[in-house]
Amino acid sequence: MARRKEETISMIDTLAEFKDLKNIDKETMINVLEESFRNVIAKMFGTDENYDIIINPEKGDFEIWRNRTVVPDGRLEDPNLQVTLSEAREMDPDCEVDEEVTDEVYFEKFGRRAILNLRQTLASKILELQKDSLYSRYKEHIGTIVSAEVYQIWKKEILLLDDDGNELLLPKQEQIPSDFFRKGEAARAVIKDVTNDNNNPRIVLSRTSNVFLQRLFELEVPEINDGLITIKAIARIPGERAKIAVESYDDRIDPVGACVGMKGSRIRGIVHELRNENIDVVNYTSNTSLFIQRALSPAKVSSIRVNEEDRTAEVFLHPDEVSLAIGKGGMNIKLACMLTEHKIDVFRDIDDADEEDIYLDEFIDEIDRWVIDALKSLGCNTAKSVLAMSPEDIMERADLEEQTVRDVYRVLAAEFEEEVDRNAPEENIADTNAGESGEEPQA
């Protein structure tokens, strides 16, 4: 019997250790223990309502008291709820029939099976409590940065462990394309989502979220953390480039300078964390036209027309600025659209000397609309702007086939025979001459 009591006491000691490790409060721990005892008692006797359970987790002990009604000798029907008068007077000499007496019972006397049931019940409730606690704790911290140790690397996700050994997941789609981690390394990410389906908490992290970039700025720039500078908008192509619009509530503070830091000291750490992701910081303004111009930096806009109803903007630039506005692979204009939440169309300014130039839309009968749209995406809105580019450049940047580019050159060159660009290949000119001799354009 002594051994069984020792086993029972050891379970309370184990729970006390669990409390220290998992930050379970005293009240919750007492409730878990009491409920576990009551479940076992109810299974054994059919009810636990006549039992009082007193638990002292600080000392690691407990008491169980049973309340029974006194009945005349020979009238005992349920020994769990009733006690005979003669037996009751051994506990209380002054008791009478129909009164209630209380006696202490010892859990170890219930047998080894009861102790095993208690262990199982405790283990189940502790695991459930641990999962609920984990879910609640991380649910409250969605959007905050955590640092965890890389434990296992799989093809579709990375498993990380926090300081308490809890599992966190970093899916492939939430990783920066150039991310590379080794087992045992520390990785930083933002908590993106927390679910608890079937009492199985799933904590998903992200390094591609805009919130991750915002939190990094809050850590590196004290003025943002103090509320003197506000991040108004963020646009990201993870691992490649990002644009962030900031605004200062103090005229004495330059928000862009504060975010970049002296000689880039503040932004350098963020760029390194994001695998050398280039970050443009621009001043926010409620003036949509001016905001779009700033978002297209480093390109300088000549003029702009904004339609707020359908959230579109037509931007006109000097021909030398078009490539800057569009950026490599169209990245700059794409980020500008994301940052300003406007669809931006880029146009080349046509000088007076180019009054004879023709917009590409005039060739809709000869050139497919999707081809014209592809050329416009390069900032080429007129025939001469297309002819001024090399075919190789158009094929690469607009992702058009060689034959399609040939057909476009032939159609456009027919309008400006004397101004065929020197970059056009000889076969293009030959094709143009062939068109003059009777062949119809194929574009």
Side-chain angles (χ1 to χ4, degrees):
M1 294 298 179
R3 180 184 175 185
R4 289 172 183 169
K5 185 162 187 176
E6 288 176 1
E7 291 177 345
T8 307
I9 296 299
S10 70
M11 283 185 286
I12 298 181
D13 293 337
T14 301
L15 192 63
E17 295 174 4
F18 175 82
K19 168 186 176 294
D20 295 334
L21 292 173
K22 302 301 180 182
N23 299 317
I24 303 301
D25 62 89
K26 184 188 300 183
E27 183 179 353
T28 302
M29 182 176 63
I30 292 175
N31 291 336
V32 167
L33 257 179
E34 181 177 346
E35 187 177 352
S36 299
F37 276 112
R38 288 191 177 280
N39 283 344
V40 175
I41 292 172
K43 287 180 181 178
M44 294 180 63
F45 302 109
T47 181
D48 64 298
E49 294 181 358
N50 61 316
Y51 285 85
D52 294 325
I53 300 173
I54 303 173
I55 298 171
N56 187 346
E58 301 299 335
K59 294 182 179 180
D61 62 8
F62 64 94
E63 297 176 4
I64 301 177
W65 295 87
R66 176 172 54 182
N67 304 307
R68 292 185 291 179
T69 303
V70 180
V71 297
D73 293 344
R75 301 286 297 274
L76 184 65
E77 296 179 359
D78 188 342
N80 182 52
L81 299 175
Q82 299 171 333
V83 61
T84 61
L85 180 61
S86 58
E87 184 181 351
R89 283 183 173 172
E90 292 179 4
M91 295 179 282
D92 182 2
D94 298 328
C95 69
E96 298 292 341
V97 174
D98 294 332
E99 290 184 353
E100 192 175 78
V101 294
T102 302
D103 63 317
E104 185 175 5
V105 295
Y106 300 95
F107 194 82
E108 65 270 15
K109 292 183 178 180
F110 292 157
R112 187 171 184 81
R113 178 173 295 181
I115 294 177
L116 291 176
N117 286 340
L118 179 61
R119 282 184 178 276
Q120 293 173 356
T121 303
L122 270 174
S124 175
K125 289 190 176 297
I126 288 174
L127 180 60
E128 182 179 342
L129 191 64
Q130 178 182 346
K131 290 182 177 180
D132 288 342
S133 175
L134 177 64
Y135 170 74
S136 299
R137 177 155 61 93
Y138 274 95
K139 187 72 174 178
E140 293 174 357
H141 289 86
I142 289 179
T144 60
I145 287 182
V146 294
S147 180
E149 178 185 341
V150 176
Y151 182 73
Q152 190 70 47
I153 301 174
W154 297 308
K155 184 176 181 180
K156 294 185 178 180
E157 60 188 7
I158 295 178
L159 175 65
L160 303 98
L161 300 180
D162 65 7
D163 293 338
D164 295 327
N166 298 312
E167 296 183 351
L168 315 176
L169 294 174
L170 180 61
K172 188 69 175 179
Q173 63 269 24
E174 301 298 336
Q175 300 172 31
I176 296 173
S178 54
D179 270 342
F180 179 79
F181 297 104
R182 292 184 176 90
K183 185 175 180 179
E185 286 184 344
R188 285 204 296 179
V190 69
I191 302 172
K192 180 181 180 182
D193 189 31
V194 181
T195 58
N196 194 27
D197 298 336
N198 300 320
N199 198 28
N200 184 27
R202 177 181 170 86
I203 303 158
V204 178
L205 307 181
S206 174
R207 287 173 53 82
T208 61
S209 167
N210 288 350
V211 178
F212 184 49
L213 177 57
Q214 179 176 341
R215 295 291 178 261
L216 290 175
F217 266 95
E218 291 172 356
L219 290 174
E220 296 291 337
V221 184
E223 290 85 349
I224 295 179
N225 192 46
D226 295 340
L228 299 175
I229 295 176
T230 301
I231 297 175
K232 304 294 290 186
I234 294 176
R236 279 187 75 190
I237 300 177
E240 297 290 340
R241 191 171 178 182
K243 286 181 180 288
I244 178 170
V246 294
E247 183 180 34
S248 173
Y249 293 110
D250 190 334
D251 294 337
R252 296 170 297 178
I253 298 176
D254 171 22
V256 175
C259 290
V260 175
M262 185 70 68
K263 297 182 179 180
S265 58
R266 290 179 172 177
I267 205 171
R268 190 179 300 119
I270 300 175
V271 171
H272 178 72
E273 178 67 45
L274 300 180
R275 309 299 186 187
N276 295 321
E277 183 175 309
N278 292 321
I279 303 175
D280 298 335
V281 184
V282 300
N283 276 309
Y284 175 80
T285 174
S286 56
N287 184 324
T288 304
S289 176
L290 180 57
F291 188 35
I292 292 175
Q293 294 182 57
R294 291 175 178 175
L296 286 172
S297 176
K300 296 180 180 179
V301 176
S302 299
S303 60
I304 183 172
R305 290 200 298 260
V306 178
N307 188 330
E308 290 290 2
E309 292 184 2
D310 55 7
R311 301 189 72 79
T312 60
E314 294 180 349
V315 177
F316 297 86
L317 307 98
H318 189 274
D320 295 340
E321 300 290 331
V322 171
S323 59
L324 289 176
I326 296 172
K328 183 180 179 181
M331 193 176 299
N332 193 59
I333 193 171
K334 181 178 180 179
L335 287 171
C337 291
M338 295 165 60
L339 190 71
T340 62
E341 297 182 346
H342 280 68
K343 182 180 182 299
I344 303 174
D345 292 320
V346 175
F347 297 90
R348 294 172 184 262
D349 266 339
I350 300 177
D351 299 330
D352 294 337
D354 291 330
E355 289 181 354
E356 295 182 358
D357 204 351
I358 304 173
Y359 283 103
L360 291 180
D361 291 331
E362 300 293 329
F363 297 91
I364 192 64
D365 293 335
E366 301 171 277
I367 302 176
D368 290 336
R369 166 57 65 184
W370 67 272
V371 177
I372 292 178
D373 290 340
L375 295 172
K376 283 184 175 181
S377 69
L378 303 179
C380 298
N381 300 288
T382 66
K384 287 187 177 180
S385 65
V386 175
L387 294 173
M389 296 181 65
S390 69
E392 293 77 11
D393 196 17
I394 293 178
M395 284 186 286
E396 179 181 354
R397 295 176 58 187
D399 195 21
L400 295 176
E401 295 182 357
E402 181 180 357
Q403 185 59 48
T404 302
V405 176
R406 284 185 184 181
D407 294 338
V408 168
Y409 264 85
R410 183 174 60 249
V411 172
L412 301 182
E415 295 292 332
F416 307 99
E417 293 180 7
E418 71 285 359
E419 298 183 27
V420 175
D421 191 87
R422 295 179 181 178
N423 290 324
E426 293 183 1
E427 63 253 30
N428 285 1
I429 300 176
D431 288 342
T432 303
N433 294 334
E436 294 174 357
S437 63
E439 287 188 18
E440 293 186 3
Q442 298 178 7

